[in-house]
Amino acid sequence: MTTSLAAALAALELGHLEPRAEDVSGMCPPSSEALEQTTTAIWSDLFATLHNTSLERDIEEMGWGLVNLFHRAAAKKHATIDRLTDEIRLLIAEQDGSEINTANLEEKIDLAKKIEEAATCYEVMRDTAAAHYIRETGRSWIPSTGNRISLGVTSAIVDGRAFLQARRDRIRDANTAQGTPVVFAGGRLTFGTDKDMTAFGSNLLRTLNAVRERVGDMYLVHGGDMKGIERIAASWAEQHGIQQVRFGLDRKLGDRAGFRRNEQMLSLKPRYVIAFQGNGVTERLVIDAKKAGIRVVDRRGPLGTPPSARNAQTDRMVG
């Protein structure tokens, strides 16, 4: 006995694998307050259990993973919405005024709106968990790839074209920092003593605060190295509510990747480049910034001081 492909697929009842309007219609998302309180409770209960145990050393890694759990959930929702927007475009192109086509378009738009609400909920939980992460570890939570953005929900969507335009505008705005760019660069450093490390940290934060006093609408541009001093700068920015733009390395470029990132950061025409000790890529960034007439806040001297401090120390030793 033979059957058509359509009948075979229908027999498998695969409809539950894709979101349907009837699955989410009539249901409201949790309130932001409830999401924040629940996420806080999860975080508090979990890490209170880990403190003063053999698992305490894993707190930072587990905390990062917990934030990433919500981040990935939001990303999956947005990927689903992106697929729905393609279907909405097609439905708009096929509109002939018939009741069936109009109903299909309205159904897709309503479904996309509901999934956007879900994505926003996960973004609220991610941002709440990220705030706990920085308090727990003293470090800013940075995703393994890309930047951490929140798109939120489109309001007052009237028709398919309005939905598509609103989503394009929100994606553009979420990925575009507002204000004056300031580039921060530095490598992974080691210190001989805790005193040296403390002195360096104080000089770094003092430098960032001084630049912020001069550039009140600054946003921070950096490479997002999660193991270097760029992470300290990222944590400072998050604690002060300063937007960040991260330029990751394009590994396909090999040894050229770092220099390409320099070009991308300088293409923003930053007001300042803040440079701490790093490798040859950082040195090239400073050289190229000066050639472009960009002011460099040079802190590549001892313990995050200006290079002149090193020269003065050398002069004293020679004398």
Side-chain angles (χ1 to χ4, degrees):
M1 178 176 172
T2 60
T3 183
S4 68
L5 176 61
L9 292 175
L12 292 175
E13 298 182 351
L14 300 175
H16 64 284
L17 298 179
E18 287 292 331
R20 298 173 298 179
E22 58 265 30
D23 295 333
V24 293
S25 60
M27 295 187 294
C28 296
S31 67
S32 295
E33 182 179 358
L35 292 170
E36 292 169 358
Q37 291 177 350
T38 301
T39 304
T40 297
I42 293 171
W43 186 283
S44 299
D45 289 347
L46 176 60
F47 293 102
T49 303
L50 300 183
H51 275 296
N52 298 318
T53 72
S54 60
L55 299 182
E56 186 170 9
R57 69 185 66 183
D58 300 322
I59 284 180
E60 181 173 350
E61 181 179 355
M62 292 186 65
W64 189 94
L66 182 57
V67 183
N68 195 55
L69 176 68
F70 299 126
H71 180 68
R72 290 291 301 276
K76 287 182 179 180
K77 294 296 183 183
H78 285 299
T80 301
I81 300 168
D82 289 340
R83 292 196 298 272
L84 285 172
T85 57
D86 290 337
E87 296 179 24
I88 292 171
R89 290 189 184 94
L90 182 60
L91 288 171
I92 290 175
E94 294 176 345
Q95 280 299 304
D96 55 7
S98 68
E99 185 176 344
I100 293 178
N101 281 354
T102 300
N104 287 340
L105 177 59
E106 291 175 349
E107 179 180 316
K108 290 294 182 184
I109 293 171
D110 184 61
L111 178 58
K113 290 170 63 178
K114 290 294 184 181
I115 297 175
E116 277 191 329
E117 290 176 347
T120 300
C121 290
Y122 287 122
E123 289 170 352
V124 169
M125 289 187 282
R126 178 202 61 195
D127 293 342
T128 301
H132 287 295
Y133 178 83
I134 194 172
R135 283 193 289 269
E136 189 80 41
T137 67
R139 298 181 177 183
S140 176
W141 185 86
I142 300 175
S144 56
T145 59
N147 289 303
R148 192 177 99 201
I149 60 174
S150 297
L151 291 179
V153 180
T154 309
S155 61
I157 297 175
V158 179
D159 57 29
R161 291 185 180 84
F163 170 82
L164 296 175
Q165 184 61 49
R167 182 163 177 83
R168 282 195 295 267
D169 291 345
R170 284 165 43 248
I171 291 175
R172 180 202 62 207
D173 294 342
N175 284 283
T176 304
Q178 304 295 318
T180 303
V182 172
V183 171
F184 181 93
R188 302 181 183 184
L189 306 179
T190 57
F191 303 94
T193 65
D194 290 344
K195 181 179 179 181
D196 287 347
M197 182 174 62
T198 301
F200 176 86
S202 297
N203 289 333
L204 189 154
L205 296 178
R206 187 181 302 111
T207 299
L208 289 169
N209 288 326
V211 171
R212 188 191 182 199
E213 288 180 3
R214 291 178 174 271
V215 188
D217 65 340
M218 69 174 283
Y219 65 87
L220 196 67
V221 182
H222 58 87
D225 183 359
M226 296 182 68
K227 296 182 180 179
I229 63 173
E230 289 178 351
R231 184 167 183 173
I232 302 175
S235 298
W236 170 86
E238 183 166 345
Q239 290 172 335
H240 288 81
I242 295 172
Q243 286 183 289
Q244 301 176 54
V245 173
R246 175 190 176 197
F247 283 93
L249 292 173
D250 186 349
R251 300 297 180 182
K252 292 181 293 185
L253 297 177
D255 294 340
R256 171 69 183 154
F259 299 104
R260 173 56 182 159
R261 181 170 64 185
N262 286 352
E263 294 169 1
Q264 292 174 319
M265 293 193 295
L266 292 180
S267 70
L268 298 176
K269 296 180 173 54
R271 176 75 61 84
Y272 292 102
V273 168
I274 304 173
F276 283 80
Q277 293 179 32
N279 54 21
V281 176
T282 304
E283 302 297 317
R284 174 51 59 180
L285 176 67
V286 171
I287 293 172
D288 291 343
K290 290 180 178 179
K291 285 183 178 179
I294 299 169
R295 185 170 180 180
V296 176
V297 181
D298 197 340
R299 295 295 184 267
R300 291 175 294 163
L303 302 180
T305 57
S308 57
R310 177 188 296 149
N311 297 334
Q313 183 179 12
T314 302
D315 291 342
R316 287 195 299 270
M317 291 176 63
V318 173

